[in-house]
Amino acid sequence: MAEFLFEDIFKIDRLNPDGKKFDKVTRIEAKSEKFDMFMHLDVGTDVYPMNEGEKFSMALSSTLNEDGTPDTGYYTPGNRKTLADNYEYVMQGKLYRIAEGSGHHGKAEIDASFGGLLMMLKGDPSYFKKYELDQRLFLLIRKVDLKVAHFTKFFFSLCGKALSEHEDCTLLTIIKMSPAFVEVSIL
């Protein structure tokens, strides 16, 4: 399985922070959950609409091949599986700038262009050691369903509690689920 250069869940804080520049492109401003990264990303919202407050999973990879082999740079149609099969929106581009952070709390920054759609990713310098100037990048995005994300967090916390309280507990079964209510049975 290919290893991602970066993967995290982002929440969109603002759309077009500097004003709307293009009809079919939106610049999103987002913050990541796990690695505390800040990002500006241009998205072709005529084909992939995004809204303020939404969460999405974003990954960066140097290849789309599931086995991690380098990408040839040529599109080869066929029935082979790729990393893109697990995402809704994919762009190919190049890393054109790496700025090192300065000072104890300095933030590093990488900038990439995906056919003119730009990405700026800023955060702790330790997360940018895998990147090289002019590196080919694939940006992969899929939206995260907030109900599923909240339920998953709740379910795993419940599962951990149930397992610690009931050592013979081997299975939690979801009996009923609605947006406001989840009934769980401990077997």
Side-chain angles (χ1 to χ4, degrees):
M1 184 70 171
E3 183 178 318
F4 290 117
L5 296 168
F6 178 80
E7 184 178 26
D8 203 347
I9 293 176
F10 284 82
K11 181 178 180 190
I12 300 172
D13 293 328
R14 294 191 315 167
L15 299 177
N16 300 309
D18 300 324
K20 184 86 169 152
K21 308 272 191 226
F22 302 100
D23 291 338
K24 298 180 179 185
V25 175
T26 299
R27 176 162 290 171
I28 63 170
E29 184 174 283
K31 185 104 171 156
S32 78
E33 292 183 350
K34 189 168 37 169
F35 296 114
D36 194 34
M37 298 290 241
F38 174 80
M39 180 173 62
H40 276 168
L41 178 66
D42 295 342
V43 177
T45 48
D46 64 324
V47 294
Y48 194 71
M50 299 187 87
N51 299 302
E52 200 169 300
E54 282 184 335
K55 288 188 177 187
F56 63 95
S57 173
M58 191 273 285
L60 293 173
S61 180
S62 58
T63 182
L64 288 179
N65 297 326
E66 284 190 329
D67 61 2
T69 56
D71 189 78
T72 63
Y74 296 100
Y75 175 69
T76 52
N79 291 332
R80 64 186 177 93
K81 291 282 213 179
T82 69
L83 296 175
D85 295 332
N86 298 318
Y87 289 85
E88 301 164 339
Y89 185 78
V90 179
M91 296 191 291
Q92 176 187 351
K94 268 201 173 179
L95 184 65
Y96 69 87
R97 184 173 165 265
I98 302 173
E100 298 292 325
S102 59
H104 180 64
H105 296 293
K107 302 278 187 184
E109 180 181 313
I110 62 171
D111 295 292
S113 177
F114 301 91
L117 298 178
L118 304 178
M119 177 196 72
M120 182 276 297
L121 188 62
K122 185 187 289 188
D124 188 301
S126 64
Y127 300 125
F128 297 117
K129 295 184 189 288
K130 300 176 185 177
Y131 298 97
E132 298 173 10
L133 204 56
D134 292 327
Q135 181 177 13
R136 177 194 311 271
L137 288 178
F138 292 94
L139 182 137
L140 305 102
I141 293 177
R142 69 174 164 246
K143 291 183 183 172
V144 175
D145 184 357
L146 290 177
K147 292 176 192 168
V148 172
H150 290 299
F151 175 73
T152 302
K153 192 180 279 188
F154 164 77
F155 183 74
F156 283 116
S157 67
L158 180 64
C159 184
K161 182 178 178 185
L163 291 175
S164 65
E165 291 177 359
H166 308 281
E167 291 188 19
D168 60 343
C169 173
T170 56
L171 181 65
L172 291 174
T173 304
I174 301 167
I175 298 171
K176 293 180 188 173
M177 183 173 143
S178 70
F181 178 76
V182 176
E183 184 179 338
V184 177
S185 172
I186 300 173
L187 303 176

